[in-house]
Amino acid sequence: MRVVFMGTPDFSVPVLDALVEAGHEIAAVYCQPPRPAGRGKKDRPTPVHARAEALGLPVRHPVSLKSSEQQEAFAALNADVAVVAAYGLLLPQPILDAPANGCLNIHASLLPRWRGAAPIHRAIMSGDAETGICIMQMEAGLDTGPVLLRQATDIGPEETTAQLHDRLSQMGAELIVETLRRLPDLTPEPQPEDGVTYASKIDKAEAQVDWTRPAVEIDRQIRGLSPFPGAWTKIGGERVKLLASKHADGEGTPGMVLNGRLRVACGTGAVDLLRLQRAGKGAQDAETFLRGWTVAAGTCLSSE
């Protein structure tokens, strides 16, 4: 099929690779424009932009698709279908209508649960037992379109957003290839009205750990916000990111370290901190972290 691919971050790269490997003709790749990054604040192409150029594919990165010029240029591609994976720009109705088979979105949740910007984070932070991928026929509403195919997967008890992100990215790549292969025979199923939830964008204010909360909630917060923005606490007055954890047995004053291996008491129960990152340093597992900084039992971690 003649495909327009629309995606921007790392999540989208395996999808583009899978479409190419499946033999589809990529008419153009749309992604967000390069933006300043790094110490020099030089414009850096997005992961999809870089991958598309490496594959020798034509790249377009308009700031908006609202102008008639952009819409006409898109329609002129005469695509059979557009595949959208974390593109990040609103698609006006003329864009949605231009491909012969419309625009198909790869969404990282089991719709209608977790429509919106941060479905992977929210699934972990809410303690969902499973999540998955939906291939959705796009329409004007926010992730409201009918679903062509879906695939579920369990969320591991110690899985972080980074780990689940990578698994779902690969699942999405495989499922969109299957969807395009079966497209003439698939019937889009409207989403049920019951069970709708919205995955609002992650706010950095959500990252501060309040040790008076139950351990199960803190564990989900740490795993759900890893690696970005990263849940944090203060140890000896220094802010430290907490990037992996697991629920553990233990009781004590909230925020108190209960042993020499970074088991920390919460409002109820405790968590083991498995991976941490000091400011300006790389992430380390707990054992390596403790070689460079002794955090003795009885130390109190601060929420402020």
Side-chain angles (χ1 to χ4, degrees):
M1 299 181 77
R2 184 169 169 83
V3 177
V4 173
F5 180 71
M6 311 179 83
T8 294
D10 288 322
F11 180 87
S12 314
V13 172
V15 181
L16 177 59
D17 284 340
L19 292 171
V20 171
E21 290 168 10
H24 294 288
E25 177 189 0
I26 308 300
V29 173
Y30 277 72
C31 57
Q32 294 221 22
R35 291 192 169 92
R39 292 183 178 180
K41 296 298 180 183
K42 294 183 179 179
D43 281 353
R44 178 181 297 173
T46 66
V48 164
H49 187 159
R51 183 59 182 154
E53 287 192 336
L55 292 169
L57 300 173
V59 179
R60 300 179 180 182
H61 42 75
V63 175
S64 168
L65 293 170
K66 294 180 180 179
S67 71
S68 58
E69 291 82 7
Q70 286 294 340
Q71 293 168 11
E72 289 167 5
F74 185 89
L77 292 169
N78 294 315
D80 295 312
V81 68
V83 171
V84 184
Y87 177 41
L89 284 184
L90 177 70
L91 302 191
Q93 196 63 47
I95 298 291
L96 296 175
D97 294 340
N101 294 283
C103 299
L104 304 184
N105 178 246
I106 302 170
H107 188 76
S109 81
L110 297 176
L111 294 166
R113 186 161 178 79
W114 300 131
R115 295 173 178 172
I120 302 175
H121 300 76
R122 297 299 177 192
I124 292 178
M125 293 173 74
S126 296
D128 290 6
E130 67 172 10
T131 185
I133 290 289
C134 283
I135 307 298
M136 179 191 68
Q137 186 84 50
M138 295 182 71
E139 56 184 32
L142 177 63
D143 298 328
T144 58
V147 174
L148 288 94
L149 282 181
R150 64 175 64 222
Q151 182 178 347
T153 185
D154 291 341
I155 299 175
E158 296 179 23
E159 197 160 25
T160 65
T161 284
Q163 293 165 336
L164 184 56
H165 166 283
D166 291 351
R167 287 207 298 117
L168 291 176
S169 174
Q170 189 59 46
M171 282 176 57
E174 294 169 2
L175 199 60
I176 190 62
V177 170
E178 181 181 353
T179 301
L180 295 184
R181 179 175 58 82
R182 297 171 52 190
L183 193 57
D185 302 318
L186 293 175
T187 301
E189 295 185 3
Q191 295 182 36
E193 295 182 6
D194 294 336
V196 174
T197 59
Y198 289 93
S200 57
K201 186 177 179 180
I202 297 296
D203 190 315
K204 288 185 179 180
E206 298 179 72
Q208 184 174 351
V209 174
D210 177 0
W211 293 106
T212 65
R213 292 169 56 200
V216 65
E217 295 180 7
I218 291 175
D219 174 53
R220 293 169 184 169
Q221 176 190 18
I222 292 170
R223 293 185 294 108
L225 297 179
S226 175
F228 182 83
W232 63 269
T233 190
K234 286 188 176 180
I235 305 176
E238 179 180 330
R239 184 182 290 201
V240 177
K241 282 189 177 183
L242 312 177
L243 298 175
S245 62
K246 67 177 179 180
H247 192 212
D249 295 327
E251 298 291 341
T253 302
M256 179 177 289
V257 177
L258 299 177
N259 60 21
R261 299 183 301 278
L262 289 176
R263 177 166 296 183
V264 184
C266 306
T268 55
V271 294
D272 287 335
L273 302 181
L274 304 178
R275 193 163 182 80
L276 306 91
Q277 184 175 13
R278 299 176 70 175
K281 299 183 180 296
Q284 299 175 312
D285 60 49
E287 183 178 353
T288 304
F289 181 89
L290 289 171
R291 289 198 198 108
W293 188 358
T294 300
V295 183
T299 300
C300 283
L301 309 189
S302 170
S303 299
E304 300 178 356

